[in-house]
């Protein structure tokens, strides 16, 4: 005669601290799934032992840089807060954690980027935009030289993680000269190039929408019909209405105490010598790539 065993009974006799330690060796998604097994597992999910492991080791520094104070009473609450984007570094950078893995993501605002001639109002304008998470975006008025560069330290990123870098922008219906020459895209780490390719910023326009730029209505293009080939990138529409171009990908390995290489992400079109204009740059995003 077979005995009927209630597996929940065995799980429930495990010390909560023991369960918490085991969960802390997984990832947030797996830990949340496992908490459905028994009531003791669900109770263990509130332990700081688990969420302290899921939080980045430099969470104190990140929280201290927040533009708005973050109020929390437990590590679990803090993790939930960090999974929603918030501004740091005087509002020039947006930070968040990936909810399923706890990996770090950043968006560098246009003000945090190096944009050639962006301080000259003849070529670039700085305006507020209702749809942007930042106080200002950069609008290319006219220039025959387009060069945008973003930098981030490897220690700011999650270790042992594949990252993608993306230029976030919109394209005006009055844009011109963007495809006279393909833009060059590249990523360097510590001065060593790890990724390169080409990108087409604008092409035959497919769909338009209206946005407010500095209180004035502007029609922008979200989708383009040009099809990128091998190592060629084109703008892709994001859920928030912006478009992005992938600049490349890179692997961020284990960083020793003395290791803090600089990741340089760039897009430039400086060979065509044709005037171009009509793009709105919000920033560059660095996020885990799956």
């Amino acid at each position: 005669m077979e005995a009927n065993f209630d597996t929940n009974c065995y799980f429930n006799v495990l010390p909560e601290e023991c369960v918490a330690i085991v969960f802390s060796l997984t990832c947030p998604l797996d830990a949340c799934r496992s908490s459905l097994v028994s009531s003791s597992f669900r109770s263990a999910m509130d332990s700081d032992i688990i969420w302290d492991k899921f939080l980045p080791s430099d969470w104190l520094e990140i929280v201290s840089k927040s533009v708005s104070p973050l109020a929390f009473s437990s590590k679990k609450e803090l993790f939930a807060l960090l999974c929603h984007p918030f501004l740091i570094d005087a509002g020039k950078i947006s930070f968040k954690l990936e909810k399923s893995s706890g990996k770090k993501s950043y968006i560098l605002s246009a003000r945090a980027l190096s944009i050639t001639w962006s301080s000259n109002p003849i070529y670039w304008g700085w305006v507020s935009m209702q749809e942007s998470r930042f106080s200002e975006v950069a609008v290319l008025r006219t220039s025959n030289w387009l060069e945008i560069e973003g930098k981030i330290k490897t220690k700011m990123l999650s270790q042992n993680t594949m990252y993608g870098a993306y230029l976030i922008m919109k394209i005006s219906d009055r844009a011109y000269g963007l495809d006279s020459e393909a833009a060059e895209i590249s990523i360097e780490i510590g001065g060593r190039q790890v990724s390169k390719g080409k990108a087409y910023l604008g092409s035959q326009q497919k769909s338009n929408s209206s946005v407010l730029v500095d209180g004035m209505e502007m029609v922008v293009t979200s989708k383009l019909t040009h099809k990128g080939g091998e190592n060629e990138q084109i703008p892709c529409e994001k859920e928030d209405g912006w478009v992005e171009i992938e600049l490349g990908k890179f692997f961020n390995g284990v960083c020793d105490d003395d290791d803090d290489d600089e990741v340089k992400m760039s897009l430039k079109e400086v060979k065509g010598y044709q005037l171009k204009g009509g793009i709105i740059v919000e920033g560059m995003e660095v996020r885990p790539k799956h």
Side-chain angles (χ1 to χ4, degrees):
M1 182 176 179
E2 291 187 3
N4 292 322
F5 294 102
D6 185 355
T7 54
N8 279 334
C9 292
Y10 290 94
F11 291 136
N12 288 334
V13 299
L14 289 173
E16 186 174 297
E17 184 176 346
C18 177
V19 175
I21 292 174
V22 173
F23 280 2
S24 70
L25 300 176
T26 64
C27 67
L29 180 60
D30 288 342
C32 289
R33 286 173 174 170
S34 299
S35 68
L36 302 176
V37 172
S38 73
S39 59
S40 64
F41 281 19
R42 287 191 292 274
S43 178
M45 280 299 293
D46 291 329
S47 172
D48 276 354
I49 295 176
I50 297 176
W51 298 101
D52 190 54
K53 290 290 186 179
F54 293 158
L55 288 168
S57 59
D58 59 346
W59 69 264
L60 272 172
E61 180 182 359
I62 294 169
V63 169
S64 69
K65 293 180 178 180
S66 176
V67 171
S68 302
L70 300 178
F72 56 93
S73 59
S74 68
K75 297 290 180 63
K76 183 179 181 180
E77 284 187 11
L78 174 59
F79 183 88
L81 285 173
L82 299 187
C83 289
H84 297 280
F86 62 97
L87 297 178
I88 61 174
D89 288 356
K92 292 183 178 181
I93 297 177
S94 175
F95 172 88
K96 77 168 184 177
L97 294 180
E98 188 178 62
K99 193 172 184 178
S100 62
S101 66
K103 304 287 189 180
K104 300 176 185 176
S105 294
Y106 292 89
I107 299 180
L108 311 179
S109 70
R111 279 294 187 189
L113 304 177
S114 173
I115 304 176
T116 302
W117 297 338
S118 61
S119 60
N120 191 326
I122 294 176
Y123 306 113
W124 288 87
W126 291 94
V127 300
S128 62
M129 190 169 177
Q130 186 176 4
E131 289 78 8
S132 177
R133 71 208 81 204
F134 301 112
S135 60
E136 290 180 301
V137 296
V139 180
L140 177 60
R141 290 173 172 163
T142 186
S143 177
N144 65 354
W145 189 286
L146 179 62
E147 189 168 10
I148 305 172
E149 183 181 281
K151 297 178 181 179
I152 192 168
K153 293 289 189 177
T154 54
K155 275 192 175 180
M156 294 175 62
L157 304 172
S158 298
Q159 298 185 17
N160 291 324
T161 302
M162 180 65 72
Y163 274 95
Y166 306 84
L167 178 68
I168 304 174
M169 65 180 193
K170 287 182 181 286
I171 305 170
S172 168
D173 65 328
R174 298 171 183 171
Y176 58 91
L178 299 181
D179 280 342
S180 60
E181 184 83 20
E184 298 176 359
I185 52 178
S186 67
I187 294 181
E188 295 180 5
I189 300 179
R192 178 174 58 89
Q193 189 176 75
V194 298
S195 176
K196 68 176 182 178
K198 295 182 179 180
Y200 291 89
L201 294 179
S203 186
Q204 182 180 349
Q205 299 176 1
K206 186 176 181 181
S207 64
N208 299 322
S209 60
S210 296
V211 298
L212 291 176
V213 178
D214 214 24
M216 299 179 63
E217 186 177 52
M218 178 180 287
V219 178
V220 299
T221 296
S222 293
K223 295 182 179 179
L224 308 171
T225 58
H226 179 90
K227 295 182 179 179
E230 186 177 1
N231 294 326
E232 292 182 349
Q233 301 294 332
I234 60 172
C236 297
E237 187 173 13
K238 292 164 57 72
E239 292 181 357
D240 58 8
W242 291 85
V243 295
E244 65 181 18
I245 288 183
E246 183 175 338
L247 303 177
K249 60 183 179 181
F250 62 95
F251 183 75
N252 191 48
V254 177
C255 298
D256 297 329
D257 291 338
D258 296 332
D259 292 336
D260 194 13
D261 289 332
E262 186 175 69
V263 180
K264 185 168 71 173
M265 309 154 286
S266 67
L267 178 146
K268 61 181 179 180
E269 198 288 275
V270 297
K271 296 179 179 179
Y273 301 108
Q274 178 174 328
L275 289 176
K276 54 189 71 67
I279 64 171
I280 306 166
V281 177
E282 187 188 35
M284 279 187 186
E285 183 172 13
V286 182
R287 66 174 187 258
K289 188 174 177 64
H290 301 286

